[in-house]
Amino acid sequence: MLLGRDARPAEATERAEGVERIRAALSAYEITLGPVALWPGLPADRLARQVGHGWITYQHARYPQLVDLLPPLLADAQRTHARDPAAGREPLVEAYRITAALLVQAALAAARQGDEASATELLGEAAAMADRVGEGHDHHRTGFGPATVGSARVAAAVELGAARAAVTWHERTTRRDAWRWLPAEHRAAHLLDAARAYLQADDPASAGRALVDADRTAPAEVRHRPAARSVLAQVVRDPHAPATIVQLALALGVT
């Protein structure tokens, strides 16, 4: 539904149309240029409550409800900001951030289906919004920002089998200062994707280093995720595997 596929169940039609409404709302910059007195928007405090509700909806993965909620929320946020830029800036930023996080999930879904064109387009839109929002506005502790989109690009490239692109995005993303601000779980999950990318690129030594870094960052991500253990098993078979990887594999009973 998020990708607008032609083959989809009838009940998904309205949801797919909702994605197009979101795109239209994002493009409706004339709202801020027209006669805002005709519709002054919501008071900033009420708009902030609606944005909070949007984040809760996203964090509970209620994507169909979020698709319906976003178009009017974006319109209200743009109008409120046009009328009162000081009070309306933060709710507008948060509304953009929620929308960009929907975009990221859709891009990853496209990558898992092998749809490189859709994944690239959606991640491009998310990156543009993340750059507009910038880093350091993580009021809801989601870690969203340019570094997050860079991390998503790595995951998407791995799913698409584009190992070199994934490695490039990984190295570019981890050089950002904001990389250190991401939650430990997010950084560890990214490092596991990087390890998969290095394996695809026939570089098990770098894959091993990424796994060790992931284990130092958030051990549970490596020790309790089947996907991580699978990557570890592949790395440890390499005759040049780092000693730290061999020790980790022995500790976890992975051979």
Side-chain angles (χ1 to χ4, degrees):
M1 177 276 293
L2 285 172
L3 302 177
R5 298 285 183 184
D6 291 332
R8 56 184 182 271
E11 62 269 18
T13 301
E14 290 185 4
R15 303 305 180 197
E17 292 172 352
V19 174
E20 293 308 313
R21 294 201 309 274
I22 292 172
R23 289 180 183 269
L26 287 170
S27 302
Y29 295 111
E30 68 273 13
I31 289 174
T32 64
L33 301 175
V36 294
L38 296 177
W39 175 250
L42 301 176
D45 58 345
R46 182 178 170 190
L47 179 61
R49 289 195 297 271
Q50 289 200 3
V51 168
H53 174 65
W55 273 119
I56 292 171
T57 304
Y58 170 75
Q59 290 165 343
H60 284 82
R62 296 170 183 160
Y63 299 129
Q65 294 92 325
L66 189 61
V67 165
D68 288 337
L69 181 151
L70 279 174
L73 178 62
L74 285 165
D76 283 336
Q78 290 171 341
R79 288 166 174 146
T80 299
H81 180 261
R83 191 167 186 84
D84 187 349
R89 180 183 183 278
E90 184 172 325
L92 179 62
V93 167
E94 294 300 316
Y96 282 147
R97 290 179 65 239
I98 299 171
T99 307
L102 176 57
L103 287 172
V104 169
Q105 293 299 325
L108 294 177
R112 292 186 188 107
Q113 294 182 15
D115 187 346
E116 182 177 0
S118 293
T120 300
E121 178 187 359
L122 290 162
L123 284 170
E125 292 183 30
M129 295 180 68
D131 287 339
R132 180 175 298 175
V133 171
E135 306 281 11
H137 300 287
D138 196 19
H139 306 299
H140 294 272
R141 300 184 181 180
T142 62
F144 183 80
T148 308
V149 177
S151 181
R153 288 188 188 275
V154 175
V158 169
E159 294 293 341
L160 292 165
R164 293 299 177 188
V167 167
T168 298
W169 279 113
H170 159 66
E171 294 175 352
R172 185 180 301 176
T173 299
T174 52
R175 285 197 295 267
R176 303 185 74 109
D177 289 339
W179 161 254
R180 296 189 294 273
W181 306 342
L182 295 178
E185 173 273 332
H186 195 141
R187 283 181 282 128
H190 168 89
L191 288 166
L192 293 179
D193 286 330
R196 293 172 59 201
Y198 282 122
L199 277 179
Q200 289 180 3
D202 197 26
D203 186 354
S206 294
R209 286 192 291 271
L211 280 174
V212 170
D213 287 345
D215 187 60
R216 290 171 178 164
T217 301
E221 283 290 310
V222 175
R223 297 166 187 252
H224 300 297
R225 283 182 57 180
R229 295 172 69 90
S230 175
V231 174
L232 177 59
Q234 294 177 66
V235 173
V236 79
R237 293 190 194 108
D238 186 85
H240 303 292
T244 48
I245 281 293
V246 176
Q247 294 169 2
L248 179 61
L250 289 172
L252 300 182
V254 175
T255 58

